[in-house]
Amino acid sequence: MEYQIDIIFAQTWVDTRLRYNSSSSMPTLTLNSNMVGLIWLPDTIFRNSKNADSHWITTPNQLLRIRDNGTILYTLRMTINAECQLQLHNFPMDEHSCPLVFSSYGYPRDEIIYKWAYNSVATSDQKYWRLYQFDFMGLRNTTDVLTTTAGDYVVMTVYFDLSRRMGYFTIQTYIPCILTVVLSWVSFWIKSDATPARTALGITTVLTMTTLSTVARNSLPRVSYVTAMDLFVTVCFLFVFAAMIEYAMLNYYSYSVRRPPPKTRRMTYSSFNMAHTPRPMMPMGNSLFWQDYEDNCMYECLDGKDCTSFFCCYEECKEGGWKKGRIHVNIRELDSYSRVFFPTSFLLFNIVYWVSYLYL
């Protein structure tokens, strides 16, 4: 990331060649910018700057003062575009320290040493700042030594501590994702035989989460690691997708239980009745209900031929020997289980998520 800063850069040093005998009325000489090129200046550079511009309107924004003991004060107003490396693992709850690094370009530590003056770093009134996504937390300055093949250089750094504001991302991403997940739970209160309604609701919420995920990724730089927002959106997508899969399981197993298994019965014929009258059946939803289905299914269930899975809908199946080591789940109550499991697990996820990223 690049940030732009407008600074007044002040440097003070002593040049004994510029000492002069002064009267009490003129201990300091204030010179214009035309005299800047006639004296020695430190070759200070900003190491992490992309570009920098000095201000020349209406006159060069430079100040040069020389005291009678040879102390020189030189200030320059400039606008700098500097680079700031961001670690977006906690985005959008991230905090950053953006540096402004400067040092001498050609003079090593043996020839020139930079030191901070007392209260040398100050900021202007923050109401004139243009930080739309960040809050300014403070600044700090450090001094380091950079070792290179050309020598050791004194490096001065000012860190601007920033904290990202979450208001925009809360409104644009977090709240819509939470509402979409809650909307997907509405299907648990819709009858299981209302296939068009529950399928349309599931597909709509899945597509909505896909759109929100795409919009969320467009609001931050392309990084190869997972950010906090990516994690939240992905988990919300999994909850919505799981709600749709829950109905698919419910519909499949309900249809499997309702449909009677094919049976081969030995038919008895008489000389007076040579034709077998088929059993009456009537459609119910997308399955068929046989009037004598319960008797047949109970017979098969008790016979140990139908209850070979983890799901059984008849009380008689609970006591068989096949039950040992198995978990009994009433498939018809899957919606009731989901009404408790999905909200509870999503609430626990939110507690862990927000506590981890905001307080740990």
Side-chain angles (χ1 to χ4, degrees):
M1 183 191 78
E2 292 185 11
Y3 69 96
Q4 186 179 82
I5 184 172
D6 190 358
I7 67 171
I8 297 178
F9 187 64
Q11 300 177 92
T12 301
W13 67 94
V14 176
D15 192 341
T16 57
R17 298 172 298 179
L18 298 180
R19 292 177 180 174
Y20 64 94
N21 295 324
S22 65
S23 61
S24 59
S25 61
M26 189 176 291
T28 302
L29 292 177
T30 300
L31 306 175
N32 59 23
S33 59
N34 295 329
M35 300 298 295
V36 173
L38 302 179
I39 65 173
W40 178 88
L41 298 175
D43 58 344
T44 306
I45 62 170
F46 294 90
R47 289 185 170 271
N48 65 325
S49 65
K50 295 294 185 179
N51 55 70
D53 297 319
S54 300
H55 293 259
W56 302 92
I57 305 299
T58 59
T59 60
N61 297 174
Q62 296 174 329
L63 173 64
L64 180 62
R65 290 178 180 175
I66 303 177
R67 296 182 61 87
D68 54 3
N69 61 355
T71 302
I72 301 174
L73 172 64
Y74 173 62
T75 65
L76 173 65
R77 183 190 173 197
M78 60 178 60
T79 299
I80 301 174
N81 291 328
E83 182 180 9
C84 180
Q85 297 291 338
L86 302 182
Q87 296 296 328
L88 300 175
H89 293 86
N90 294 338
F91 177 87
M93 293 160 283
D94 48 342
E95 296 180 354
H96 304 282
S97 294
C98 292
L100 183 62
V101 186
F102 61 92
S103 67
S104 173
Y105 181 76
Y107 295 101
R109 183 174 57 174
D110 298 336
E111 300 181 20
I112 185 172
I113 298 177
Y114 286 87
K115 293 182 179 180
W116 294 104
Y118 181 73
N119 291 333
S120 58
V121 182
T123 60
S124 61
D125 193 345
Q126 295 188 26
K127 68 180 181 180
Y128 300 109
W129 293 24
R130 289 176 294 178
L131 293 176
Y132 303 112
Q133 291 190 23
F134 294 93
D135 288 322
F136 179 70
M137 308 302 295
L139 54 83
R140 49 194 171 88
N141 53 312
T142 61
T143 302
D144 301 300
V145 176
L146 177 64
T147 301
T148 65
T149 56
D152 297 337
Y153 293 86
V154 178
V155 177
M156 316 291 283
T157 307
V158 180
Y159 291 97
F160 302 95
D161 296 329
L162 306 174
S163 177
R164 192 183 301 273
R165 298 174 181 172
M166 283 193 57
Y168 172 81
F169 304 98
T170 301
I171 297 174
Q172 295 293 325
T173 303
Y174 283 99
I175 292 180
C177 287
I178 293 175
L179 293 180
T180 303
V181 173
V182 174
L183 181 63
S184 67
W185 300 339
V186 175
S187 63
F188 302 148
W189 279 266
I190 300 177
K191 294 182 179 180
S192 60
D193 56 353
T195 303
R198 297 190 63 163
T199 304
L201 180 60
I203 293 176
T204 301
T205 53
V206 169
L207 294 179
T208 302
M209 282 304 309
T210 303
T211 303
L212 291 175
S213 176
T214 303
V215 173
R217 291 296 299 180
N218 291 335
S219 61
L220 78 157
R222 292 181 175 87
V223 293
S224 58
Y225 47 83
V226 178
T227 65
M229 180 179 289
D230 292 335
L231 176 62
F232 188 86
V233 174
T234 301
V235 172
C236 289
F237 181 85
L238 292 178
F239 269 95
V240 171
F241 187 75
M244 188 173 181
I245 295 300
E246 182 270 347
Y247 176 66
M249 294 176 57
L250 177 64
N251 184 274
Y252 174 77
Y253 283 107
S254 297
Y255 179 78
S256 299
V257 169
R258 290 179 181 179
R259 185 177 181 180
K263 297 180 61 178
T264 302
R265 295 188 177 183
R266 181 174 298 177
M267 305 301 297
T268 57
Y269 302 93
S270 65
S271 59
F272 300 99
N273 185 12
M274 297 300 295
H276 175 67
T277 304
R279 297 181 181 271
M281 58 183 178
M282 54 183 177
M284 290 188 65
N286 55 357
S287 62
L288 298 178
F289 177 78
W290 294 66
Q291 291 183 353
D292 61 344
Y293 164 60
E294 291 188 359
D295 296 337
N296 294 336
C297 186
M298 288 183 184
Y299 173 78
E300 294 291 343
C301 179
L302 293 175
D303 218 11
K305 300 179 180 178
D306 195 33
C307 293
T308 57
S309 65
F310 289 93
F311 306 100
C312 185
C313 302
Y314 298 96
E315 297 294 331
E316 290 81 356
C317 295
K318 297 180 180 180
E319 304 299 332
W322 65 275
K323 182 65 176 74
K324 295 180 180 179
R326 296 177 181 264
I327 301 175
H328 177 77
V329 177
N330 192 343
I331 192 65
R332 293 180 179 177
E333 299 296 329
L334 188 58
D335 278 343
S336 300
Y337 302 151
S338 300
R339 293 170 193 171
V340 177
F341 173 76
F342 277 79
T344 303
S345 57
F346 189 67
L347 178 61
L348 291 177
F349 164 73
N350 275 272
I351 293 175
V352 173
Y353 177 86
W354 294 110
V355 170
S356 300
Y357 282 103
L358 291 179
Y359 300 103
L360 298 181

